[in-house]
Each structure stands twice: as structure tokens, then as C-alpha cells.
Amino acid sequence: MVADCTTLWNDCLEVIRESVGEENYSTWFKPIVPVQVEGDVLTIQVPSQFFYEWLEDNYVPVLKKALQKVLGPNGRLEYSVIVDSGNTNTPPVTVHYPNGMGSRRASGNGLDSEYSPFTYKALNPQTVNSRLNPNYTFDNFVEGDCNRLARSAGLAVAKKPGVTSFNPLMLYGGVGVGKTHLVQAIGNEIRNSMPDKIVLYVDQNDFTTQFLNALQNHKLQDFQNFYLQVDLLILDDVQFLAGREKTQEMFFHIFNQLHQSGKQVIMTSDCPPRDMKGFQERLLSRFKWGLTADLQEPDFETKLAIIHRKMQADGITIPTEVAEYLAYSVDTNLRDMEGVLNSLIFHATLLKKEIDLDLAKEVLKNIIKEIQADVSVDFIQKTVSEYFKVDLEAMKGKVKKREIVIPRQVAMYFCKRYTQLTLALIGENFGGRDHSTVIHALESVEDMMKTDANFKSSVEELGKKLKLRMN
Ligand code: ADP
Ligand code: MG
């Protein structure tokens, strides 16, 4: 009997090998052991639940073809899945899936309740490297209108990971709005208050690299065993998985199993799931299962509080006028603010200089130059003219038509915000106008932003486009 099923399976393998390529063959089919054949049904043993799911999700047509060729038109497959608890005292057991080949999909959303959750005990929560930075905490995360929802959702998750309906928790927002800080704060909080929980923070780069390594070295089993032991999985900047089909596939499986076993998943992204491109629909729909919350750019008061908090943490008091000056002037993002503050701290502690407005201005001048080094007037003019679909030369020139004048004023406004040019030099770049024209332009743009919401959002959108270039 055993010989029979081995021969039959070898025949199947020949068909499979032709269709799937050498690498997939050795990863997914070599480890399979044929167990028995009864009538039209061949039973194969696969090394894990994940393995079984992967086969069912990716190789049903190939398996069908092979089975039908070897066993006839009614040929079917049964799986015997080894479930290893990771505990050497408990030998692996097998679970049978009688309706193989596509049944997993047919029976619903891929989270079929008959699957038992798997617990692997090999990782030690005390010694596992969570990749958390202990400096990111809730205590030093300043609350503001810009992040209130995300922060309270984060706190709720930190108190009861996996139990709230915020699973997954998906936080999104632009560069430097505090996504990484917040998700790390959640991780740190859980690690401190629930030391038996395994917490893991990974950015997409860690995840992708580990996955590709595992794939190349035929260690996928270890890879997923590792991830399935985690109680809180934080995946930062998930947008970078766009277009990476296999990595997404793997994440999809890990996500499903964690979610189904009541484990918490937290993700961050630079945009809401509905705007994410290059993702499988089924993965995007998972992202929306729990709570999606955005973090916005901090307002003036929040920036001010962040500045004070950070300086206090380093034992430095900063005069209010300096803090206000910085909160007004650093309008790119909080990461740049961090650079400016670090430089001030350096001056204050090592060079023993007093932090005053002059020092702040000097530091800012140097740093802002770096930040903005590659945003040129040309780039702003080109981006603005393309955005408003007006002729670039006309915009830079003297044409007085309203549809040209407004884009021109907007371009001047961004030149003031994003370059070091004086008003006079900005005027030079727009057909030799003088500085009072530039001031007038800046005022008009600000007025229009106050009264016209559409205009305001256009300007903000443009601002984002330009900032993207700066980061
Ligand atoms: P993102 O991941 O959204 O790009 P980060 O979390 O890396 O942003 O934040 C950039 C910097 O700003 C970090 O140093 C972070 O500590 C700080 N930061 C952002 N938001 C806050 C906040 N609300 N309170 C305190 N610091 C903040
Ligand atoms: Mg980040």
C-alpha cells in the first residue's frame, strides 16, 4: 500500500514539477510525504497548517491536474497536517483536512473556524528581541487634536491586546506625524504590563528581508512558526509591501492565523487602506476589519508641547519665545523638528551655549538648508504650474489673467515657505517683480485659504507634493 501511494505521488510530482518551476517545487512539494491511497483519494502529509493553506491557496489547479492525470477524473486529495506545539515533550499530532483542493476558499473567508489555533512555546517572552525602542512611550507622546483618536485607540489596545474590536489597528498619516512613536508606545506598554506576552515590532523591510531569506533557504516553516508565536505583531509602514505578491501572501496567512487566535495586529501606513495601491483586495479588506485611525500633522500647540516635552526630557528648559519660534518655523515635519532640537541640545550641553532666539535661528538656518537643499524654485514653479495646468513660462512671466495670477501667487507662497530666498529674490524669479508684489501674493494666498475651502485643500495638497520631495 505504502509503495503504491509513493509511486502514485511520484507520478503526480512529475506533473507538478513541470508546472511550478524548480524553486517552488523544492519549497512546497518536496517536503510532502504521501501517506495512503484509498480509491480515488490520495492522502498526503504536510509539515504544517500554514503549508496546507499555502498549497490550497496557490496550487489547487496544479494539484487537480496532477491528481486527475494519475488517479482519474475523480481523483481527490486529503491532507494530514502535522501540528507541532514546539514543545519537545509533546510530539507533533496530525490534523486531517478531508476536503482538500480548494475547499478552504469555498468555505468562507479563509478563517474557517475548524482550524485550531496553534501555540508554539519555543520563544521566551523575556528574551525575545521585540525590536522596540524604550524611548517611545505614551508618557512622552503628546496628545493633540491631530492624534486623539489614534492615541486613545492605541491605549485601548495596549490595555487589552487582541480583545477589543480594534483588531487590526491600522494607523495612517504622513511623514513624521508620530506613527512609529505611537505603535512602539503600545508595544512598550504591553511588554511592561504583560511580560508573558510576546511583542514584535517589524518594519516592512525586516519582514520582507526575513521572508526572502527564508524562501531562499527553504526555511519558510521556521519563519512562520516564529511569527505565529507572537501575541502582538506590529508591522510599520505596510505600504511598502505594495506589489510584493509573495510577501503579501505570507503576511496574509500570518495575519489570518494571528487574528483568528485572538492575537493583536497593528499596522501603520502612509495612507488609508482605500487608497493603497498594489495590494491584493483580500488583504486590503482585512486591513479594514478593525479600526482605521489617522494621525494628522500637529497643530501649533501640539508642536509647542512636543518641543517642551523633548527638551525637558533632556533636562533643558527652553524659553517660550524660542519654542514658539521653532513651532512656527519648522513646518516641514516632526522629524526635522527632532533634528533641530537635537542640534540645540548639542549646543546647550556640549558647547554650554545658552539657548536663545539667536542660537535657535542659527541652528535652524543650517538645518533648514539641509532639509530644503533640493527643493529649488524651479521645482516649485514646475510642480505648481503642472498642478494648476497652466503654462510654466506664462506663470513665471507678466501675464495678468486671473487663471495665471493665482498659480503664480501660490508658487511664490511656496518659495517663501520652502526656500531660503529673500522676498526680493523670489520676485526676481517671477519676471523681475519687486518684494512688495511678493508680500501681496503671500497675503492673497493666506486670505483665500481662509475663505475658500477648496483652494485651501489644493494648496495643502500641493504642499504635500512638495514635501514628499524633501523627505
Ligand atoms: P512617523 O512614523 O509617522 O513618520 P515618527 O513616529 O517617527 O513619525 O515621529 C517623528 C518624530 O516626532 C519622533 O521623534 C517622535 O518621537 C516625534 N513625535 C511625533 N509625534 C509626537 C507626539 N505626539 N508627541 C511626542 N513626540 C512626537
Ligand atoms: Mg515611521
Side-chain angles (χ1 to χ4, degrees):
M1 206 59 176
V2 173
D4 267 348
C5 74
T6 308
T7 317
L8 281 174
W9 179 239
N10 283 341
D11 292 346
C12 289
L13 283 179
E14 265 179 44
V15 180
I16 292 167
R17 194 173 191 152
E18 275 170 20
S19 323
V20 302
E22 203 50 46
E23 195 176 312
N24 290 329
Y25 174 78
S26 45
T27 307
W28 297 109
F29 295 95
K30 257 194 182 162
I32 294 175
V33 181
V35 182
Q36 63 169 16
V37 59
E38 262 185 51
D40 295 332
V41 182
L42 174 69
T43 305
I44 55 170
Q45 187 182 59
V46 296
S48 73
Q49 166 81 14
F50 173 78
F51 214 98
Y52 156 71
E53 289 186 8
W54 188 279
L55 290 174
E56 284 280 292
D57 280 355
N58 292 283
Y59 294 112
V60 165
V62 175
L63 285 165
K64 270 200 177 130
K65 187 169 125 194
L67 267 268
Q68 283 169 0
K69 196 159 179 190
V70 175
L71 283 170
N74 297 324
R76 281 201 301 120
L77 201 60
E78 283 189 11
Y79 293 89
S80 148
V81 180
I82 301 179
V83 181
D84 187 347
S85 68
N87 183 340
T88 43
N89 297 325
T90 328
V93 294
T94 54
V95 176
H96 294 276
Y97 290 106
N99 305 307
M101 297 204 301
S103 64
R104 219 174 78 72
R105 285 278 178 74
S107 57
N109 57 8
L111 289 183
D112 314 352
S113 54
E114 78 258 28
Y115 295 164
S116 53
F118 301 99
T119 42
Y120 293 89
K121 302 222 171 72
L123 283 185
N124 177 347
Q126 263 77 53
T127 53
V128 69
N129 179 2
S130 288
R131 297 165 181 261
L132 289 170
N133 176 344
N135 296 326
Y136 289 129
T137 62
F138 276 107
D139 278 349
N140 61 19
F141 187 80
V142 173
E143 181 176 0
D145 288 343
C146 51
N147 59 35
R148 206 175 310 280
L149 174 65
R151 183 181 168 277
S152 23
L155 267 177
V157 165
K159 289 209 180 86
K160 291 185 172 169
V163 180
T164 66
S165 54
F166 306 157
N167 197 12
L169 175 62
M170 165 65 104
L171 302 179
Y172 69 92
V175 175
V177 291
K179 300 181 297 294
T180 299
H181 187 140
L182 185 54
V183 295
Q184 290 243 359
I186 303 171
N188 280 315
E189 180 75 20
I190 293 176
R191 237 180 104 82
N192 292 334
S193 60
M194 303 171 202
D196 58 326
K197 296 262 186 234
I198 294 180
V199 177
L200 184 68
Y201 167 92
V202 274
D203 60 26
Q204 65 75 33
N205 198 22
D206 297 334
F207 188 83
T208 309
T209 313
Q210 287 171 3
F211 173 66
L212 293 179
N213 271 338
L215 196 62
Q216 273 161 14
N217 299 312
H218 309 298
K219 290 267 167 51
L220 281 175
Q221 203 50 53
D222 296 348
F223 176 82
Q224 53 126 348
N225 282 355
F226 175 77
Y227 273 90
L228 294 184
Q229 295 180 70
V230 171
D231 297 297
L232 167 67
L233 177 63
I234 303 170
L235 183 58
D236 205 1
D237 289 325
V238 73
Q239 75 270 8
F240 288 109
L241 293 188
R244 294 179 175 273
E245 288 261 332
K246 287 282 168 212
T247 320
Q248 283 183 29
E249 188 83 3
M250 176 56 103
F251 181 61
F252 178 77
H253 284 274
I254 290 173
F255 178 97
N256 278 348
Q257 297 220 24
L258 290 180
H259 191 272
Q260 184 198 357
S261 349
K263 310 294 187 60
Q264 179 73 46
V265 180
I266 302 179
M267 290 171 284
T268 74
S269 155
D270 66 349
C271 63
R274 64 171 182 277
D275 295 340
M276 289 171 85
K277 304 265 168 349
F279 280 82
Q280 298 164 10
E281 205 37 59
R282 57 182 188 158
L283 197 53
L284 284 186
S285 77
R286 296 281 188 281
F287 290 174
K288 296 180 214 155
W289 272 357
L291 178 79
T292 302
D294 69 331
L295 286 99
Q296 310 226 326
E297 286 185 22
D299 46 67
F300 178 72
E301 277 74 27
T302 313
K303 271 203 243 174
L304 211 55
I306 292 174
I307 294 171
H308 281 300
R309 188 78 56 99
K310 167 130 178 94
M311 298 308 259
Q312 270 162 16
D314 283 79
I316 293 171
T317 37
I318 174 168
T320 308
E321 62 165 2
V322 177
E324 284 181 352
Y325 168 74
L326 294 177
Y328 268 124
S329 315
V330 184
D331 59 357
T332 48
N333 69 55
L334 283 177
R335 258 185 239 165
D336 297 334
M337 179 71 84
E338 175 108 344
V340 174
L341 296 180
N342 283 338
S343 177
L344 277 179
I345 292 169
F346 168 77
H347 280 85
T349 52
L350 286 170
L351 307 180
K352 304 260 181 278
K353 284 195 191 165
E354 192 189 334
I355 299 187
D356 56 16
L357 212 47
D358 284 344
L359 178 63
K361 281 185 179 161
E362 194 186 313
V363 164
L364 200 59
K365 208 167 73 196
N366 292 333
I367 293 204
I368 291 288
K369 252 190 215 139
E370 276 169 36
I371 297 170
Q372 297 176 345
D374 65 344
V375 180
S376 63
V377 173
D378 285 350
F379 176 67
I380 292 175
Q381 289 176 328
K382 192 164 163 291
T383 309
V384 174
S385 76
E386 278 167 9
Y387 184 86
F388 287 109
K389 302 193 173 49
V390 296
D391 181 65
L392 177 62
E393 290 313 313
M395 194 188 81
K396 285 171 17 183
K398 298 224 183 260
V399 182
K400 288 233 166 65
K401 279 192 219 142
R402 186 173 158 79
E403 61 264 33
I404 306 275
V405 170
I406 290 179
R408 180 185 297 137
Q409 292 180 329
V410 171
M412 288 180 174
Y413 167 84
F414 281 118
C415 286
K416 177 71 187 102
R417 281 187 63 184
Y418 292 159
T419 73
Q420 293 293 303
L421 295 187
T422 59
L423 295 172
L425 272 177
I426 294 175
E428 282 286 298
N429 278 280
F430 289 85
R433 291 177 163 82
D434 68 16
H435 81 283
S436 61
T437 315
V438 180
I439 291 178
H440 172 68
L442 304 182
E443 285 170 356
S444 310
V445 170
E446 274 164 13
D447 285 348
M448 273 192 285
M449 281 173 75
K450 278 188 204 131
T451 52
D452 181 342
N454 281 340
F455 179 75
K456 180 163 183 257
S457 66
S458 298
V459 172
E460 282 170 354
E461 198 183 319
L462 255 171
K464 284 203 184 117
K465 274 185 206 287
L466 294 166
K467 275 184 194 175
L468 270 184
R469 170 70 183 257
M470 291 188 232
N471 292 312

